[in-house]
Amino acid sequence: MMRRRVVEIMKSDQHQFGVIGAGAWGTAIARHLSIKGFPVRIWCRDTETADSIIKDHVNSVFLPDIVLPESLEATTNLLDIIRNASILLATTPSHFTREIARIINPEITSEHILVILTKGIEQKSLALMSEIYQQELGNIPKIAVLSGPTFAREVAQDLPSAAVLACNDRQTGNLLQEYFHSERFRLYKSNDLIGVQLGGTVKNVIAISSGIADGMGLGLNARAALICRGVAEMTRLGTAIGGLRETFVGMSGIGDLILTATGDLSRNYTLGQKLGRGLLLEECIPTDGAVVEGVLNAVSINDLAKRHQVEMPLCRAVYEIIYEGVSCVRALKNILERKSP
C-alpha cells in the first residue's frame, strides 16, 4: 500500500516534499520550495516550533524575522512526513542522522528520493551521511546530496545563491535540479557524492581555524593562507577516500569554504573567533540550540585522517584546541614550526 501511494505521488503533477528538520536550513529550503508552489511539510522535533510555523508563519527559534508561506505545513509526526511525500530532504544535525534513519526505515521505499542536506561524518564509524542511510534503510531510496556556499538566512531572504547537487542517477538529478532551481537559487550538478559530502564537512573545521586566526588578530594574509591550505587538506583527504579532485576546487569545495571561513553568519567561524579571543569552549557554543558541526566533526576528521594517513595540520590544530586543551598560541606555533608544508 505504501509503495503504491508513493508511486502515485511520483507520477502525479503534485510532487510533495517532506523536510526532515526545522532548523534554519530546513526552514529556508522548505520556504524556497513552498514559494515555488510545491506542497511542502516540515517535521519539527517540538510542538512549539510546529505551532509557530502553522499559526504565526515563522520559525520563532531559528528564523524569527522571516515570514513563511501560509501553504507551508508543519508536524511533529515524522512517519507522517514519509508516508505523504515522495521527495524527502534530510537537514537534521549529523549526529542525529542514524537515529532518523532508523525511525523512518519502516515507511521509506525505493520509490522515494532522499536529498541529504546535512553536512558531517559520523564519529566512531566515520561514515558519510549517505552511507548511514544506505546502512540503516531496508529499502534504499534514490539518494542525492545538496551542498555548497549557502547561508540559510540569505536563502530565506531570496538573496542570490548557488549550490551543488550530487546524484548518481541522471534522471533524478535532472528532476531535482528543475525543482530547486529559481532565479535566485542556482544548482550545479555533480555525480561525486563522496567529494561533495567530504568538502561540506572539512570546511567547517577549517572555518573554525580561520575564526581563531581572526580572533587572535593575525590579519587578512594569515586568513587567506589558512583558506588555501584548508583546500589542500580537504583535497588530500577527499581524494584518499574516493572523491574527485575537481570537486574540491568547485562550488562545494573551495566555494563553501570561502563562505564559511569568512562570513559572520557562520557558526563555525564565529565560534573560532571567540576561541581566538581566549574564551572557553563552553562560552563559545550558541545559546539558541544551533549546532556547530565543526566542533563535532573535528573528531571525525582527525580520526579519518589517521585512518588514511593523511597530513591535516590545520584540522589537527582545531582538534587539539577543542579536545586536548592546547592553547591557540601553542597550536599556531606548532603549525609554524612544521618542516613539511
Side-chain angles (χ1 to χ4, degrees):
M1 180 66 70
M2 174 59 189
R3 184 182 185 279
R4 185 166 69 247
R5 173 169 176 76
V6 174
V7 171
E8 289 171 354
I9 292 173
M10 289 296 292
K11 289 182 177 179
S12 74
D13 292 331
Q14 289 296 312
H15 301 286
Q16 299 187 40
F17 289 81
V19 179
I20 303 173
W25 190 207
T27 303
I29 206 68
R31 176 187 179 277
H32 172 72
L33 292 166
S34 293
I35 288 176
K36 288 203 67 179
F38 295 111
V40 182
R41 182 176 294 181
I42 188 168
W43 173 71
C44 312
R45 276 188 174 270
D46 58 87
T47 55
E48 291 79 9
T49 302
D51 289 344
S52 175
I53 293 173
I54 294 169
K55 297 176 182 178
D56 303 323
H57 310 299
V58 296
N59 184 325
S60 58
V61 176
F62 292 106
L63 293 173
D65 57 335
I66 300 295
V67 177
L68 303 175
E70 294 185 9
S71 61
L72 177 60
E73 300 180 7
T75 181
T76 57
N77 188 332
L78 179 53
L79 292 184
D80 189 55
I81 291 277
I82 311 304
R83 296 186 192 105
N84 291 283
S86 52
I87 303 177
L88 306 171
L89 282 64
T91 72
T92 52
S94 60
H95 57 289
F96 289 130
T97 295
R98 195 171 293 276
E99 174 190 347
I100 293 295
R102 289 172 176 171
I103 293 172
I104 69 176
N105 180 48
E107 298 292 347
I108 202 163
T109 77
S110 58
E111 302 299 327
H112 278 100
I113 295 174
L114 175 64
V115 186
I116 301 169
L117 286 76
T118 301
K119 297 177 179 180
I121 295 173
E122 188 178 44
Q123 292 186 10
K124 296 184 179 180
S125 76
L126 304 184
L128 298 171
M129 298 299 101
S130 62
E131 292 171 337
I132 293 174
Y133 284 109
Q134 289 168 339
Q135 292 167 6
E136 294 292 342
L137 300 180
N139 295 310
I140 307 298
K142 299 177 182 66
I143 291 178
V145 174
L146 195 155
S147 185
T150 48
F151 283 144
R153 170 166 293 281
E154 293 196 355
V155 172
Q157 292 172 324
D158 294 321
L159 294 174
S161 303
V164 173
L165 179 78
C167 185
N168 288 330
D169 182 83
R170 179 177 296 183
Q171 183 178 358
T172 300
N174 290 339
L175 185 74
L176 292 171
Q177 185 181 42
E178 177 184 346
Y179 289 164
F180 281 97
H181 177 81
S182 74
E183 292 181 355
R184 294 298 182 106
F185 193 80
R186 181 178 180 84
L187 276 186
Y188 296 87
K189 289 191 300 180
S190 168
N191 60 3
D192 184 10
L193 270 74
I194 293 176
V196 170
Q197 289 180 91
L198 196 282
T201 303
V202 174
K203 61 95 181 183
N204 284 329
V205 182
I206 299 297
I208 292 177
S209 75
S210 176
I212 289 172
D214 282 357
M216 295 173 68
L218 300 184
L220 298 179
N221 292 348
R223 184 170 72 183
L226 282 171
I227 291 173
C228 288
R229 296 314 303 163
V231 175
E233 292 190 15
M234 178 189 297
T235 305
R236 284 200 296 266
L237 182 61
T239 53
I241 66 172
L244 303 177
R245 184 173 297 275
E246 54 265 32
T247 299
F248 304 106
V249 294
M251 192 71 66
S252 63
I254 191 172
D256 203 1
L257 175 57
I258 290 172
L259 179 73
T260 312
T262 62
D264 290 336
L265 290 178
S266 166
R267 293 190 293 266
N268 295 283
Y269 172 76
T270 301
L271 179 137
Q273 278 186 314
K274 294 177 180 179
L275 288 173
R277 292 171 186 155
L279 274 67
L280 298 175
L281 178 63
E282 53 266 30
E283 299 175 296
C284 304
I285 301 297
T287 58
D288 62 358
V291 175
V292 184
E293 287 281 9
V295 172
L296 298 173
N297 282 288
V299 177
S300 304
I301 295 299
N302 186 64
D303 291 345
L304 197 61
K306 287 182 179 178
R307 173 183 291 182
H308 292 276
Q309 298 182 331
V310 174
E311 288 287 319
M312 301 186 73
L314 292 180
C315 291
R316 176 64 191 175
V318 172
Y319 175 83
E320 290 174 347
I321 290 168
I322 293 176
Y323 293 102
E324 296 184 350
V326 175
S327 70
C328 294
V329 173
R330 179 70 255 180
L332 174 65
K333 191 171 186 293
N334 290 343
I335 291 174
L336 294 177
E337 290 177 347
R338 281 174 52 85
K339 293 182 180 180
S340 57

